[in-house]
């Protein structure tokens, strides 16, 4: 049973870089059966898929964020990371780490989420 | 991007009654392989979303059989045959046919 745990600063100022880490336990991020992704949810709003990374180093980003976002994996630490540059108040959200089935594309496991607030 | 439109946005139900909600896609989600890449999630208050249905009609592990998904092409439905208190929350559909993956705006189920 995989477990995903997000961590990182909960408060940022505008223009700073958001950096989050997801620790994965109960499965190996080297598994070719899954993509490892980030999804966010502004307070009281719906879900937005940010992108995913694959164990081989490949990644895909939502074009709405592509110029500012980076997702990377450290398979030796079984960790997934997210960076979002030049944040604004619109980046305030709960950020979820997730595991996606690589063949059918559905998100089948979610972390508990971490709230990031961008405020001056 | 594929747009998913859910209806209704709010669904008050009595315990023991049936509930049904819709998800309509801006383009077909049924692939030439025969599968429909549409999934359903429930987000209970204060919790992360959890997978209910994948590939339009397959129940995820641990999901009771009173929850079912149907549909193909652009029109999909989630049904709960007998609503219980634990079913309260926001239901989201998500398409996985194309990237970027997108979600519907959600249907909020609440007890009358």
């Amino acid at each position: 049973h995989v477990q995903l745990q997000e961590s990182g600063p909960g408060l940022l100022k505008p223009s700073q870089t958001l950096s989050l880490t997801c620790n994965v336990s109960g499965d190996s991020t080297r598994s070719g059966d899954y993509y490892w992704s980030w999804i966010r949810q502004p307070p009281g709003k719906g879900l937005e898929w940010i992108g995913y990374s694959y164990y081989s180093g490949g990644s895909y980003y939502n074009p709405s964020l592509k110029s500012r976002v980076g997702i990377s994996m450290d398979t030796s630490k079984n960790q997934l990371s997210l960076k979002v540059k030049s944040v604004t108040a619109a980046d305030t959200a709960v950020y979820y780490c997730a595991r996606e089935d690589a063949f059918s594309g559905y998100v089948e496991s979610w972390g508990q989420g971490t709230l990031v607030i961008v405020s001056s | 991007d594929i747009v998913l439109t859910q209806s209704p946005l709010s669904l008050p139900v009595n315990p023991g009654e049936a509930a049904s909600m819709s998800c309509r896609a801006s383009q077909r989600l049924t692939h030439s392989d025969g599968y429909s890449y549409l999934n359903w999630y429930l987000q209970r208050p204060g919790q992360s979303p959890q997978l209910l249905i994948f590939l339009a009609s397959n129940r995820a592990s641990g999901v009771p059989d009173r929850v079912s998904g149907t549909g193909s092409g652009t029109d999909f439905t989630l049904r709960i045959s007998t609503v219980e208190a634990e079913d309260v929350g926001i239901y989201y559909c998500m398409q996985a046919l194309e990237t970027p993956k997108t979600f519907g705006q959600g249907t909020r189920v609440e007890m009358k």
Side-chain angles (χ1 to χ4, degrees):
Chain A
H1 176 66
V2 68
Q3 290 189 308
L4 307 161
Q5 181 66 59
E6 306 88 348
S7 61
L11 181 62
L12 291 172
K13 296 185 185 304
S15 81
Q16 290 185 325
T17 295
L18 180 160
S19 294
L20 297 177
T21 299
C22 175
N23 285 297
V24 179
S25 58
D27 190 18
S28 170
T29 52
R30 291 190 180 95
S31 170
D33 293 337
Y34 301 104
Y35 295 151
W36 303 90
S37 58
W38 290 94
I39 297 164
R40 69 180 184 179
Q41 184 173 35
K45 296 187 179 181
L47 298 157
E48 180 181 30
W49 185 82
I50 298 172
Y52 66 64
S53 185
Y54 193 55
Y55 80 99
S56 63
S59 59
Y60 183 91
Y61 306 123
N62 193 323
S64 67
L65 294 162
K66 186 175 182 179
S67 63
R68 298 193 296 127
V69 71
I71 298 174
S72 60
M73 294 178 62
D74 186 336
T75 55
S76 67
K77 295 181 179 179
N78 230 29
Q79 285 181 343
L80 177 70
S81 297
L82 171 71
K83 290 189 186 301
V84 181
K85 298 184 295 186
S86 304
V87 297
T88 69
D91 295 308
T92 294
V94 174
Y95 285 77
Y96 295 102
C97 172
R99 187 176 77 172
E100 299 184 13
D101 183 276
F103 303 102
S104 302
Y106 58 88
V107 178
E108 51 92 57
S109 296
W110 301 68
Q112 67 181 32
T114 187
L115 175 62
V116 176
I117 297 172
V118 180
S119 175
S120 56
Chain B
D1 297 3
I2 296 176
V3 176
L4 300 179
T5 302
Q6 292 187 241
S7 62
L9 297 183
S10 178
L11 184 56
V13 294
N14 287 311
E17 289 183 342
S20 180
M21 62 197 78
S22 169
C23 178
R24 179 164 291 177
S26 60
Q27 61 190 76
R28 286 178 57 84
L29 300 182
T30 304
H31 192 269
S32 56
D33 62 11
Y35 291 105
S36 293
Y37 288 81
L38 187 284
N39 313 299
W40 290 95
Y41 298 86
L42 165 61
Q43 186 172 33
R44 296 188 174 102
Q47 296 186 17
S48 308
Q50 63 175 90
L51 178 67
L52 295 176
I53 300 287
F54 62 95
L55 295 174
S57 61
N58 297 274
R59 269 187 296 274
S61 177
V63 175
D65 59 8
R66 55 193 180 78
V67 177
S68 62
T70 59
S72 65
T74 60
D75 292 319
F76 299 87
T77 300
L78 183 74
R79 291 189 176 90
I80 307 172
S81 61
T82 310
V83 172
E84 299 183 4
E86 66 177 17
D87 299 326
V88 165
I90 303 175
Y91 290 77
Y92 293 98
C93 56
M94 187 203 90
Q95 66 81 19
L97 180 68
E98 294 182 355
T99 49
K101 297 176 186 182
T102 51
F103 294 86
Q105 70 272 55
T107 291
R108 184 184 297 273
V109 170
E110 53 194 10
M111 292 298 176
K112 285 182 181 176

